[in-house]
Amino acid sequence: MPEKKAASLWSIQARAFKIPYTPFTHNFWVLADPYGIVADQIHGLAFDPEAGTTKAIGNSSHFLLVVHDPTISWSLQPDQPIETCISGHEATIRQRWQAALNSIIAINDLKLTYPNLWQHFYKKNSNTIFNTIGQIMGFTNTTELLPTWAPGIKQVVSQELIAEYCYK
């Protein structure tokens, strides 16, 4: 009987995409079903307003947007760093995930500029989105979840938005 109970648990995972040829990572969130299959993902990505598309890496002519999309396949790597932050019954886990989804429009309405490559150490970037979304979901140690080097992770988009949308 315990096996059946464990198999019914959903989870929220912190994951890191290892950026090729660098020591850095792009951290993001995954909602996983009881079988470990990705049900949704939340990323901070560059958005090219001229092309109307998101990009994994951008520049200052792009916006930094929060994107949730379960079909982003490039971010899922074998042996990538993964930390399960919480697991539980689907309804409980989805409530926490929903807090993050509820904040997306407000964060994107800030129209943040994506940094140029050399600015990632001191400007808000995709790892800042990771930290902000993590805090909104109620995780307090987001900067220490993964053993990675993720520039921008110690910043947040807005303390006010974290307070407004935080999972309770």
Side-chain angles (χ1 to χ4, degrees), residues 2-13 31-37 84 86-93:
E3 287 180 33
K4 194 170 200 169
K5 185 176 181 184
S8 67
L9 300 179
W10 283 66
S11 65
I12 295 176
Q13 303 171 345
L31 174 67
D33 75 9
Y35 305 99
I37 296 170
T84 298
I86 190 166
S87 60
H89 295 288
E90 181 178 6
T92 304
I93 298 304

Side-chain angles (χ1 to χ4, degrees), residues 138-156:
F139 304 123
T140 57
N141 61 343
T142 56
T143 62
E144 300 168 11
L145 286 172
L146 297 164
T148 62
W149 195 5
I153 198 167
K154 293 190 179 188
Q155 298 183 61
V156 294

Side-chain angles (χ1 to χ4, degrees), residues 10-16 27-33 35-38 40-42 76 80-87 93 97 130 137 139 145-146:
W10 283 66
S11 65
I12 295 176
Q13 303 171 345
R15 291 194 180 199
N27 294 1
F28 62 101
W29 294 101
V30 163
L31 174 67
D33 75 9
Y35 305 99
I37 296 170
V38 174
D40 203 0
Q41 296 179 54
I42 299 176
L76 305 174
Q80 72 186 154
I82 299 173
E83 180 65 36
T84 298
C85 299
I86 190 166
S87 60
I93 298 304
W97 190 259
F130 171 82
M137 288 191 290
F139 304 123
L145 286 172
L146 297 164

Side-chain angles (χ1 to χ4, degrees), residues 44-108:
L45 296 174
F47 176 75
D48 182 341
E50 287 186 27
T53 59
T54 57
K55 301 175 162 217
I57 298 175
N59 60 51
S60 61
S61 69
H62 303 131
F63 291 111
L64 174 61
L65 293 184
V66 183
V67 175
H68 81 98
D69 182 351
T71 66
I72 298 173
S73 58
W74 59 261
S75 63
L76 305 174
Q77 298 171 313
D79 301 320
Q80 72 186 154
I82 299 173
E83 180 65 36
T84 298
C85 299
I86 190 166
S87 60
H89 295 288
E90 181 178 6
T92 304
I93 298 304
R94 283 195 180 269
Q95 285 176 347
R96 194 177 288 252
W97 190 259
Q98 189 62 47
L101 296 180
N102 292 344
S103 73
I104 291 175
I105 291 172
I107 294 171
N108 289 348

Side-chain angles (χ1 to χ4, degrees), residues 103-130:
S103 73
I104 291 175
I105 291 172
I107 294 171
N108 289 348
D109 281 350
L110 296 173
K111 298 199 182 312
L112 299 171
T113 302
Y114 195 88
N116 290 311
L117 283 177
W118 63 90
Q119 298 173 316
H120 280 258
F121 291 99
Y122 60 91
K123 287 200 171 185
K124 294 173 177 138
N125 64 27
S126 61
N127 292 318
T128 307
I129 297 293
F130 171 82

